[in-house]
Amino acid sequence: MSATSDQTILLTTDLSARGDRPMDRAVNLAKTRGAKLVILHVLEKEPYEEDAVEAAKAEIELDLASQDVEAQIIIESGNVVTRIIENAKACNAAMIVTGVARTASIGDLIMGMQLERIIQHSPLPILIAKNRATASYERLLLASDLSYPSAYALERGSALFPDLPAHIVNAFHVPFEGFLHTDDAITDEFRTEQHKQMKKFIDGLKLPDDVREKLGYSVEYGETCTVVRQAITDSRTDLAVVGTHGTSGFRANRMGSMARALITLLPCDTLVVRQPLK
């Protein structure tokens, strides 16, 4: 990974048991990039006592003791989402690193309302660390529906991780197949058309030549989450990129069911990039 010493990584932590995963990943990113690490914890109760601030700071310092990295620690109170976004802007962060709320009994990850709200409102990419950071990322995979938000997500993701080979996965199905008798010929026809749309999509991406040279893609028949999860397993991908729509007003509270499903169900760390508001 190329060092970019002017970069800042903002880690937001709730000091829960699962906070070790985003902590490890944020430290790994800071070290490999020579970046500044800022750690933010927001006390939700106001007003807060100085003892609570000192206790939170001490806990973070204890977690950092064995990491051999310097970090700026910020303890604030108030609305969690507002404070996170304010601090991310103030420190000119390249990304926000955070974790998930908990693991469901079936093994899927549950985001929680606060994480959803951060994703909905943050203009910065959100890196959701689901796994232990035993090494730097090696592969980047984009789950794409060939839309502008997914193109923007790949462009931002590749800019943040320019050394990683990227792969685009697109899942397709045959329209009205539940009502029609479809055979291999019809499926192949739709697959061929989807390949054409994929190539058009790639041609329109704003990527440096060295990134474009390492870009691969696949078009697979099937349900999106199933196809993408299988691609991640087969390629041993450790970082997925998911794009979400940028909207205002009422629609700002709607992430989109497919984006939510991908963020929740993908087994690897996930970089979520919101399309800028128009």
Side-chain angles (χ1 to χ4, degrees), residues 191-248:
R191 189 191 306 275
T192 299
E193 178 59 29
Q194 203 70 5
H195 273 280
K196 292 179 181 179
Q197 294 302 317
M198 172 66 83
K199 291 178 180 178
K200 182 178 179 180
F201 173 80
I202 292 175
D203 288 342
L205 292 172
K206 300 174 183 177
L207 298 173
D209 290 341
D210 58 336
V211 173
R212 188 177 291 276
E213 289 174 359
K214 296 178 290 186
L215 182 63
Y217 77 89
S218 57
V219 174
E220 302 292 343
Y221 173 82
E223 189 273 329
T224 298
C225 285
T226 301
V227 167
V228 176
R229 289 186 68 157
Q230 188 62 52
I232 288 172
T233 300
D234 292 344
S235 63
R236 297 184 179 180
T237 292
D238 43 16
L239 179 61
V241 181
V242 175
T244 65
H245 293 269
T247 55
S248 59

Side-chain angles (χ1 to χ4, degrees), residues 104-210:
S105 58
I106 59 173
D108 294 328
L109 296 165
I110 298 176
M111 287 191 290
M113 287 303 298
Q114 284 187 352
L115 179 53
E116 286 208 29
R117 289 172 58 218
I118 295 170
I119 293 171
Q120 290 162 3
H121 297 286
S122 174
L124 301 176
I126 310 295
L127 177 59
I128 305 171
K130 302 179 179 181
N131 302 311
R132 299 303 300 265
T134 56
S136 297
Y137 294 127
E138 295 184 354
R139 298 175 185 83
L140 184 151
L141 181 144
L142 172 73
S144 176
D145 59 358
L146 309 185
S147 65
Y148 172 74
S150 67
Y152 181 77
L154 179 61
E155 291 164 357
R156 289 294 302 273
S158 295
L160 285 172
F161 299 92
D163 296 339
L164 298 186
H167 189 89
I168 306 172
V169 176
N170 171 254
F172 77 97
H173 67 278
V174 178
F176 308 111
E177 59 187 336
F179 302 95
L180 301 174
H181 173 70
T182 58
D183 55 24
D184 290 343
I186 294 177
T187 301
D188 288 343
E189 181 179 342
F190 276 93
R191 189 191 306 275
T192 299
E193 178 59 29
Q194 203 70 5
H195 273 280
K196 292 179 181 179
Q197 294 302 317
M198 172 66 83
K199 291 178 180 178
K200 182 178 179 180
F201 173 80
I202 292 175
D203 288 342
L205 292 172
K206 300 174 183 177
L207 298 173
D209 290 341
D210 58 336

